Amino acid sequence: MTANIHPVTNISVVFPQAMILITAIFILIIEIFLPKQASRKPMFVLGLIGVAAGAIVLTVITAVAPSVLEYGQSLRLDGFAVLFSLILMLGTFLVLLLGLDGLDEKHPTGYESEYVALLLFALLGGMVLAEAIDLIALFIGLEILSMSAYVLVGIQKRSIRATEGALKYVITGGIASGVFLFGASYIVGLSGTSNIYDIAFALSEGTIMSRYGTLIFIGLLFMLSGLSFKIASVPFHMWVPDVYQGAPLATTTFLATVSKTAGFAFLIRLLLTTFYLLSTQRGALMIDVQPYVAALAIASMFIGNLLAMRQVNVKRMLAYSSIAHAGYILIPLAGVNPNMIDEMAFYLIAYLFMTAGAFAVLDAAYRDSGSYELKSLAGLYHRSPFLAFAMLIFMLSLAGLPITAGFWAKWYIFIGAIWDGHWLLAVTLAIASILSYYYYFAVLKQIWIRPGGTEKPLGAPLGTLLVTVIALVGTLGIGLFPQIIFTAFQNMFHASSMFDLFNGRF
Amino acid sequence: MTWEQTIPNLIILLPVIGLILVGLIPSKHGGAIRLVGQLIPLAVLLLAGSLYGSFNILSPQGQFTSSIRWFTLTFPGYDASQHMFVMQEIPIAWSLSVDGISLALLMMTALIIFVAALASIYEVRRLKMYTLFLLLLEIGAYGVFMTESLIWFFIFFEFTLISLYFLVGQYGGFDRERAANAFLLYNGLGSLFMLIAFVMLFHATGSWDIITVREMLAAQPLEHSQSLFIFFLFLIGFGIKLPIFPFHRWMLEVHREAPPAIVMIHSGVLLKMGAYGLIRFALGFLPEIAREFAWLLAFLGLVNLLYGAFLAYVQNELRLVFAYSSLSHMGIVLFGLAALNAIGLQGAVFQMVSHGLISALLFFILGAVERRMQTSSLKTLGGLAEAMPILSGTLLLAAMANMGLPALSGFISEFQSFLGLFQSEHWLYAAVGLIALVLTALYMLRATLGLTFGPLKVPAVRSENGTVALDDVQPQEVMPLVLLTAAIILIGVYPNVLATPLAATLGDFVARMGGY
């Protein structure tokens, strides 16, 4: 192996993960000594502190690090990893805030501390996914995230829906992991290494590509399909509605934001680092892969949006919309352009804010009505103008209407798709957005237009309110001043980070 | 920034302030909310008037221009000579500017919105939400006509979409939610066509600034197929808004369901955004294609004109007569555009302004009749002149303006549009279109005469309790009627009030198209 591929090894790469891990274990230990009746709120606060500390440590390390750091040739802390780790941490922070006032007052689980610990473990897995450059490390991250998420879904073990969701999640997840490993075995077998940079190096040597190109391609398609489970896109999307509906709301938010972002982080890195530049008869492998990724994106957009139109349960509707959004985010990956990472990261950040916010408002309504039905939101405007206004912004943002974060995110993907003439993708994105107006406005119609059964003022508990406010500030702030995000990206990993990931091989 | 440059910004800022103010007032203080809702359009009207006063009629360029950099987009471009990507820094600005066309439409918009705000006093239910969305609609309506940036044009366009959805869906008639949905989906589709065209132009020119895009396209025209594609995107996108014949269904539903004050704005202002977009972008950016497809514009105009007129003749619902009449009159705007000469374009702009005022007046009167009679069905109404002579008289005046009788604004605008088209090579369409003028007289007279003359008929659905008495014009109705009527007569008697500020801009416009 050539040495110049890998930068300096430095133990500080794992410090943020260590912070998270220590917090999680600490919480589990405290739980043993806590009396049964005691409030578990401090546990959530502890979790919040742990995540915040991890984020601070990560920021400090990045600030003082002279260059890209690596640990044991399996974790790599570059701008890309920092950006995605920070998104994951912010997402987990919001999820913890959502859980602060009890996961579900009507059906207490009694496992609040374990819930916090598992969330932190899942975050740990997600961060490993964002930083892994080794297929083994990646798989460990993937499994930590998945295993924790299985339990997070089924934490209300007496609820039939939760159990059903968890079971479906485990089975689909298991199959997806198997599919991923199967694909990876081709690649590792052909290259003789599991480090993705080394794989790229090994595969581009000699005549491997011309002799085994088909096998590599098949391996890639299997890995792609396996990872689609995490990002909730076609083909492994069938779990999404049932799991989103059955899981406690905080878990649903986690799956929609953190889990999806982590999946995308690794998918992007894997495709760009290892595969997209391998030379084939048509130039580069990315040209061969394009139709397949595009097909996944288009199928996700249509399946998600069309099925969401028929839903009466808001959680289920947002689940289908989550599939559609995965489709939008796949567009830059299919229609490659130099801004693609910016576009996807922008969308993921916008999606994090608007989804967390929408779930928070839904949470406030659920705590009162005990139902996630669309009708239970009726008349919300009269009960809580602030929550109604917040939901207006979140829904407009999800639909991609100005002047919100979601608008710029979609616009950015849109101009990127047309940049290289990917008309089919751009037009599908446009049509899919129109379809999505229908169901996002159906929510707004209930909130603003339909009269509700009661006019009793509706309050939100502190945690939920905080999430709503943070998400609202984020969604509107990015909407009004998109420069914030562009500047942040510039500072974090320069606009040409894609070339950075290519490791100078462009 | 001088005071004059601040005025366009203030016109946008005032409704924003209004939004915040109304948001802070608790909904039980209906009077205060209503006051804000009326004062802000009044202030905007005065500001627009002061713009008119200090407008330099000799300059064809946009005036009172102000531009603030909003953000910078780093976007890859391809340097063909070196075969490599270069990162371009593309500034995206908040920029406002007013030229002759903008000024005419802005004045009309400010007047109609003020009048509509006055007409909104009959909305008592959920007043706060109504005022909030009306203010949002105002931001969009003022902004569309003034902005110099394609992105902001799109954003303002979408503001009107969002707000009108709620205004129709909440305050409309029986079938309001269906109308709101139809409106949303049709217009959402239209704005996405528009957005695709904008993004294509951005890729071709590397700018979102309207002036820059126009100049770059003039200096270095696109490939023919690409321009053709963009032209048709604009035609469909704005054609849905205008609306052009096959895309008009949503507009009828909105006209039928929305409350009168909202229809005044919708028919008066929002339809004109489609025409404005066609002038600014389809004609302004792609004059060659426009010349090539002028026959299509004329043909579509003819279809609109005749289809609207025929259907208006058979409607039994006054609202629908007026709605089809709007459709028909938008055909005349298309005629003016198809002429592609100064007189025709001037006719198109005149028609936009004049039809805005007339339809606002018609729908205001319709609202007044509906309040008294609780229906607007032509079959059950009649003899209004007996009970309310002044209202009926104004209705007749508005109807005559709509028919295009001389000394009223409708005449001057239709005359110019037709004259323009007769002078162009597509005069045949104009000749056939003349039939529509007769049809217009037929349907307007059928509707208004039946409504006003004869013995007074009181519809059976009218219940005595809680309704307005069968009185003539009430004090709060005087102001809208007077303002709109005065504007219609003023333009009809002294057209230069509009033509003078338009002349330089349109002259420049036609010169750029290589016309005369």
Side-chain angles (χ1 to χ4, degrees):
Chain A
M1 285 304 108
T2 49
N4 65 333
I5 297 180
H6 296 291
V8 202
T9 282
N10 193 317
I11 184 78
S12 63
V13 172
V14 294
F15 283 174
Q17 281 97 324
M19 291 293 302
I20 308 284
L21 187 64
I22 290 167
T23 318
I25 293 173
F26 188 55
I27 287 172
L28 285 180
I29 293 172
I30 294 182
E31 166 66 21
I32 301 174
F33 301 106
L34 268 187
K36 221 173 169 55
Q37 296 79 22
S39 163
R40 273 7 182 216
K41 231 178 205 181
M43 293 302 181
F44 282 91
V45 177
L46 208 56
L48 289 171
I49 295 172
V51 174
I56 292 169
V57 170
L58 181 63
T59 321
V60 171
I61 291 174
T62 327
V64 298
S67 63
V68 173
L69 301 177
E70 240 179 52
Y71 180 66
Q73 300 202 353
S74 59
L75 293 179
R76 180 185 170 101
L77 197 67
D78 47 14
F80 179 82
V82 174
L83 176 67
F84 275 87
S85 296
L86 285 177
I87 301 178
L88 296 175
M89 286 170 161
L90 177 61
T92 314
F93 192 84
L94 293 180
V95 173
L96 281 168
L97 270 181
L98 265 184
L100 190 61
D101 300 284
L103 292 174
D104 187 341
E105 284 156 355
K106 296 199 175 54
H107 316 278
T109 60
Y111 297 108
E112 261 76 9
S113 307
E114 287 83 351
Y115 189 84
V116 178
L118 281 167
L119 263 181
L120 294 179
F121 284 135
L123 170 64
L124 178 67
M127 287 171 65
V128 171
L129 272 182
E131 296 173 13
I133 53 165
D134 189 288
L135 288 177
I136 310 277
L138 155 81
F139 191 68
I140 293 171
L142 194 67
E143 288 305 302
I144 297 176
L145 176 55
S146 300
M147 294 293 171
S148 318
Y150 299 149
V151 187
L152 289 175
V153 171
I155 195 103
Q156 290 167 301
K157 61 182 179 187
R158 288 195 177 73
S159 153
I160 292 178
R161 281 203 179 282
T163 318
E164 181 199 343
L167 190 64
K168 282 187 177 165
Y169 197 41
V170 172
I171 293 173
T172 330
I175 295 172
S177 294
V179 170
F180 176 80
L181 280 183
F182 181 68
S185 69
Y186 276 59
I187 308 298
V188 175
L190 281 169
S191 62
T193 171
S194 61
N195 183 296
I196 56 175
Y197 286 91
D198 295 340
I199 290 175
F201 194 77
L203 291 185
S204 56
E205 266 185 349
T207 54
I208 292 186
M209 270 316 282
S210 56
R211 277 186 293 160
Y212 303 110
T214 324
L215 286 184
I216 291 169
F217 195 63
I218 291 172
L220 168 60
L221 287 187
F222 272 105
M223 291 167 87
L224 192 61
S225 309
L227 280 175
S228 75
F229 167 74
K230 271 275 153 276
I231 62 174
S233 82
V234 175
F236 280 107
H237 65 283
M238 290 310 289
W239 60 274
V240 179
D242 291 324
V243 172
Y244 274 39
Q245 192 182 0
L249 195 113
T251 308
T252 311
T253 316
F254 179 83
L255 293 178
T257 56
V258 181
S259 181
K260 193 192 274 276
T261 310
F264 266 109
F266 191 75
L267 186 62
I268 296 169
R269 193 193 279 275
L270 181 71
L271 287 185
L272 291 190
T273 315
T274 312
F275 290 108
Y276 267 20
L277 290 181
L278 292 177
S279 58
T280 61
Q281 286 161 354
R282 294 162 67 188
L285 192 61
M286 65 174 128
I287 298 170
D288 295 331
V289 184
Q290 246 168 34
Y292 296 90
V293 184
L296 293 191
I298 290 173
S300 303
M301 284 189 269
F302 274 119
I303 289 178
N305 279 324
L306 287 174
L307 291 178
M309 290 166 91
R310 309 289 307 161
Q311 303 306 320
V312 289
N313 184 304
V314 185
K315 251 173 140 185
R316 224 176 150 77
M317 190 205 85
L318 286 172
Y320 282 111
S321 112
S322 158
I323 299 175
H325 284 277
Y328 304 150
I329 308 173
L330 277 175
I331 288 177
L333 213 52
V336 181
N337 68 72
N339 267 9
M340 58 188 287
I341 297 175
D342 291 30
E343 286 159 18
M344 291 196 270
F346 196 144
Y347 205 101
L348 284 166
I349 293 172
Y351 185 69
L352 166 67
F353 280 124
M354 58 208 189
T355 313
F359 278 123
V361 176
L362 195 58
D363 184 46
Y366 174 76
R367 280 169 201 272
D368 180 65
S369 67
S371 153
Y372 290 116
E373 296 291 303
L374 205 48
K375 285 201 168 60
S376 69
L377 289 172
L380 185 67
Y381 167 67
H382 298 280
R383 307 185 58 196
S384 169
F386 171 70
L387 289 180
F389 169 71
M391 199 63 157
L392 173 71
I393 300 295
F394 299 141
M395 287 295 138
L396 292 182
S397 182
L398 283 165
L401 286 166
I403 189 172
T404 54
F407 167 68
W408 292 114
K410 209 174 259 182
W411 172 82
Y412 204 23
I413 286 184
F414 194 71
I415 59 175
I418 291 187
W419 181 79
D420 203 15
H422 296 280
W423 279 102
L424 186 64
L425 287 170
V427 171
T428 315
L429 172 64
I431 293 172
S433 304
I434 297 289
L435 292 177
S436 75
Y437 287 2
Y438 183 83
Y439 59 88
Y440 290 129
F441 274 80
V443 174
L444 294 178
K445 189 164 73 186
Q446 293 290 345
I447 293 179
W448 288 82
I449 297 180
R450 293 275 173 87
T454 166
E455 301 260 301
K456 182 165 58 79
L458 175 72
L462 180 67
T464 311
L465 196 65
L466 274 178
V467 177
T468 314
V469 171
I470 295 173
L472 188 63
V473 170
T475 312
L476 268 184
I478 298 174
L480 288 171
F481 308 102
Q483 185 76 61
I484 301 170
I485 295 289
F486 290 127
T487 315
F489 283 0
Q490 297 262 327
N491 294 342
M492 205 162 294
F493 60 105
H494 311 294
S496 57
S497 67
M498 189 178 100
F499 306 111
D500 194 35
L501 279 190
F502 283 152
N503 218 6
R505 291 180 297 127
F506 193 74
Chain B
M1 207 186 276
T2 63
W3 164 241
E4 280 171 350
Q5 284 175 311
T6 8
I7 295 180
N9 292 299
L10 268 183
I11 290 180
I12 308 282
L13 192 64
L14 278 175
V16 178
I17 294 171
L19 267 181
I20 298 166
L21 274 181
V22 173
L24 293 178
I25 303 175
S27 49
K28 60 176 184 281
H29 298 295
I33 291 174
R34 202 185 295 284
L35 191 68
V36 176
Q38 292 177 349
L39 277 183
I40 291 208
L42 177 64
V44 170
L45 181 61
L46 295 177
L47 285 175
S50 80
L51 278 187
Y52 184 82
S54 47
F55 190 79
N56 175 4
I57 55 166
L58 295 177
S59 160
Q61 263 85 41
Q63 301 175 30
F64 320 113
T65 309
S66 59
S67 178
I68 304 162
R69 178 175 288 210
W70 186 26
F71 65 93
T72 312
L73 175 70
T74 312
F75 201 70
Y78 186 69
D79 188 348
S81 61
Q82 297 180 38
H83 294 290
M84 62 182 292
F85 297 120
V86 276
M87 281 300 180
Q88 305 163 298
E89 300 271 316
I90 293 154
I92 289 172
W94 160 267
S95 53
L96 298 174
S97 160
V98 179
D99 67 2
I101 304 175
S102 306
L103 183 72
L105 292 169
L106 183 68
M107 294 287 294
M108 178 216 38
T109 305
L111 179 62
I112 290 178
I113 286 182
F114 173 58
V115 171
L118 291 181
S120 300
I121 52 166
Y122 301 103
E123 295 293 341
V124 283
R125 209 167 45 93
R126 300 192 168 190
L127 180 69
K128 180 169 170 178
M129 183 177 145
Y130 180 88
T131 316
L132 283 175
F133 283 114
L134 193 59
L135 285 166
L136 184 66
L137 181 67
E138 286 167 28
I139 301 174
Y142 301 137
V144 156
F145 294 125
M146 292 195 295
T147 180
E148 287 272 281
S149 151
L150 291 175
I151 287 199
W152 273 104
F153 186 88
F154 181 77
I155 292 174
F156 287 132
F157 215 78
E158 296 297 83
F159 277 178
T160 65
L161 178 78
I162 298 163
S163 49
L164 204 64
Y165 172 84
F166 288 101
L167 288 171
V168 174
Q170 169 73 75
Y171 303 93
F174 222 57
D175 224 2
R176 53 181 188 261
E177 288 189 359
R178 217 165 61 95
N181 275 336
F183 167 76
L184 182 73
L185 295 182
Y186 267 86
N187 283 276
L189 197 64
S191 22
L192 276 166
F193 275 110
M194 183 176 91
L195 183 66
I196 294 176
F198 285 172
V199 174
M200 285 187 76
L201 287 172
F202 163 64
H203 280 292
T205 61
S207 171
W208 291 94
D209 183 70
I210 291 178
I211 307 280
T212 319
V213 169
R214 194 182 69 202
E215 282 168 357
M216 288 188 70
L217 286 180
Q220 205 174 27
L222 299 175
E223 283 171 39
H224 184 263
S225 59
Q226 209 180 356
S227 331
L228 199 66
F229 189 57
I230 297 178
F231 183 82
F232 275 91
L233 285 175
F234 278 139
L235 189 62
I236 298 173
F238 293 119
I240 289 177
K241 198 82 185 174
L242 192 58
I244 289 176
F245 163 62
F247 310 118
H248 63 284
R249 197 183 68 92
W250 67 270
M251 172 260 205
L252 299 174
E253 293 203 12
V254 170
H255 273 71
R256 194 173 59 216
E257 302 300 337
I262 299 307
V263 186
M264 286 167 72
I265 298 182
H266 177 252
S267 177
V269 179
L270 301 186
L271 300 187
K272 276 61 189 184
M273 289 174 8
Y276 177 78
L278 282 179
I279 294 193
R280 247 307 163 242
F281 305 127
L283 268 59
F285 285 173
L286 309 158
E288 283 84 23
I289 308 289
R291 195 162 287 286
E292 198 179 323
F293 282 94
W295 65 270
L296 182 65
L297 289 177
F299 175 73
L300 290 172
L302 186 65
V303 172
N304 255 25
L305 199 55
L306 293 178
Y307 177 84
F310 274 119
L311 282 175
Y313 187 67
V314 295
Q315 299 306 318
N316 284 321
E317 178 70 33
L318 193 58
R319 270 172 180 257
L320 285 181
V321 175
F322 293 164
Y324 278 110
S325 157
S326 287
L327 185 65
S328 175
H329 282 81
M330 288 301 105
I332 297 178
V333 174
L334 286 175
F335 268 14
L337 298 186
L340 291 176
N341 49 29
I343 188 93
L345 285 179
Q346 184 162 323
V349 178
F350 261 75
Q351 176 70 0
M352 282 152 75
V353 174
S354 147
H355 177 261
L357 298 170
I358 295 170
S359 66
L361 182 56
L362 284 173
F363 276 102
F364 180 78
I365 297 170
L366 176 108
V369 172
E370 272 187 351
R371 266 195 308 284
R372 290 169 173 80
M373 296 298 193
Q374 296 186 330
T375 174
S376 61
S377 163
L378 284 176
K379 277 187 178 158
T380 53
L381 290 175
L384 291 186
E386 211 168 287
M388 34 199 119
I390 301 181
L391 195 66
S392 307
T394 327
L395 174 62
L396 279 183
L397 180 109
M400 284 194 277
N402 207 23
M403 284 182 256
L405 255 65
L408 295 170
S409 69
F411 169 73
I412 194 78
S413 49
E414 290 179 16
F415 176 74
Q416 291 181 94
S417 303
F418 272 94
L419 183 64
L421 196 59
F422 266 116
Q423 286 180 356
S424 78
E425 51 194 308
H426 307 294
W427 57 270
L428 199 61
Y429 292 101
V432 182
L434 285 176
I435 304 169
L437 295 187
V438 184
L439 289 173
T440 311
L442 271 179
Y443 71 73
M444 280 317 286
L445 288 177
R446 168 182 165 268
T448 46
L449 292 186
L451 197 63
T452 46
F453 288 108
L456 178 64
K457 285 198 273 185
V458 178
V461 289
R462 182 174 191 275
S463 59
E464 277 304 326
N465 44 344
T467 24
V468 186
L470 289 184
D471 287 338
D472 208 350
V473 175
Q474 288 165 339
Q476 71 269 27
E477 292 171 342
V478 171
M479 181 88 138
L481 288 177
V482 169
L483 279 177
L484 289 172
T485 317
I488 291 170
I489 295 176
L490 177 68
I491 295 176
V493 177
Y494 186 65
N496 270 352
V497 70
L498 257 187
T500 313
L502 266 179
T505 308
L506 284 181
D508 179 56
F509 201 92
V510 175
R512 265 189 282 115
M513 292 199 301
Y516 48 90

